[in-house]
């Protein structure tokens, strides 16, 4: 069964990708509640992105960070436009090129690149630190609900 992915405009390049039309890649909101649900749907199909020559083109077309995309795009699983899981060979060079900002060359500049899910510019590279994974935040929330065993 193949579904149509009509929600994404201008996807002619990735129309040739092996994932094209698979509803497990652009996942309908009705199919999941938490990020873990989403990963459970997407993780089994993420391997399809392995070695896919369209990964950079896919990210360029879907613009997942800006569109708060949920699903698989370019070898990564996105939750509200944030990468929560990636193939081991997912390479930063597949992300959009960095926008140069006044804050470049500082930790804030590096964070700005990270928030935009773009490459780090050379001046920000030394300041790069991975951001928090929203899935970890879900874990923390669940832990807070556990009874306090003193
Ligand atoms: Zn920079």
């Amino acid at each position: 069964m193949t579904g149509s992915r009509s929600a994404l405009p201008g996807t002619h390049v990735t129309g040739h990708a092996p994932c094209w039309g698979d509803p497990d890649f652009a996942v309908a909101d009705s199919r999941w509640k938490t990020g873990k649900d989403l990963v459970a749907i997407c993780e089994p199909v993420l391997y399809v992105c392995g070695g896919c020559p369209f990964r950079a083109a896919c990210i360029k077309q879907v613009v997942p960070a800006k569109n708060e995309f949920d699903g698989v795009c370019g070898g990564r699983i996105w939750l509200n436009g944030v990468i929560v899981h990636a193939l081991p060979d997912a390479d930063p060079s597949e992300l959009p090129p960095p926008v140069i900002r006044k804050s470049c060359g500082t930790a804030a500049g590096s964070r700005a690149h990270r928030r935009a899910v773009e490459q780090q510019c050379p001046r920000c590279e030394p300041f790069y630190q991975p951001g928090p994974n929203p899935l970890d935040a879900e874990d923390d929330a669940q832990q807070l609900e556990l009874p306090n065993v003193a």
Side-chain angles (χ1 to χ4, degrees):
M1 291 285 286
T2 53
S4 68
R5 195 161 57 166
S6 55
L8 302 173
T11 41
H12 55 283
V13 172
T14 45
H16 297 286
C19 60
W20 180 247
D22 190 320
D24 286 345
F25 285 79
V27 185
D29 286 351
S30 58
R31 293 182 60 200
W32 58 281
K33 282 200 179 76
T34 69
K36 288 217 169 66
D37 298 339
L38 183 73
V39 171
I41 293 169
C42 295
E43 219 267 327
V45 300
L46 184 63
Y47 76 93
V48 174
C49 294
C52 177
F54 297 110
R55 291 210 299 235
C58 183
I59 292 170
K60 196 176 164 205
Q61 286 201 349
V62 175
V63 202
K66 206 172 261 177
N67 293 327
E68 302 184 346
F69 178 77
D70 301 308
V72 176
C73 172
R76 292 137 170 101
I77 299 173
W78 304 74
L79 169 66
N80 295 324
V82 176
I83 297 169
V84 294
H85 192 66
L87 283 174
D89 67 338
D91 192 284
S93 69
E94 294 159 0
L95 298 175
V99 173
I100 303 303
R101 301 175 180 85
K102 275 185 188 156
S103 57
C104 275
T106 68
S110 174
R111 282 197 300 273
H113 295 308
R114 196 186 71 207
R115 275 196 300 269
V117 199
E118 62 194 24
Q119 295 172 38
Q120 297 283 316
C121 79
R123 287 173 60 214
C124 290
E125 188 76 52
F127 298 96
Y128 175 73
Q129 289 189 336
N133 189 320
L135 294 184
D136 295 338
E138 280 182 9
D139 276 347
D140 290 346
Q142 280 161 14
Q143 278 162 16
L144 290 174
E145 288 164 18
L146 290 175
N148 214 342
V149 185

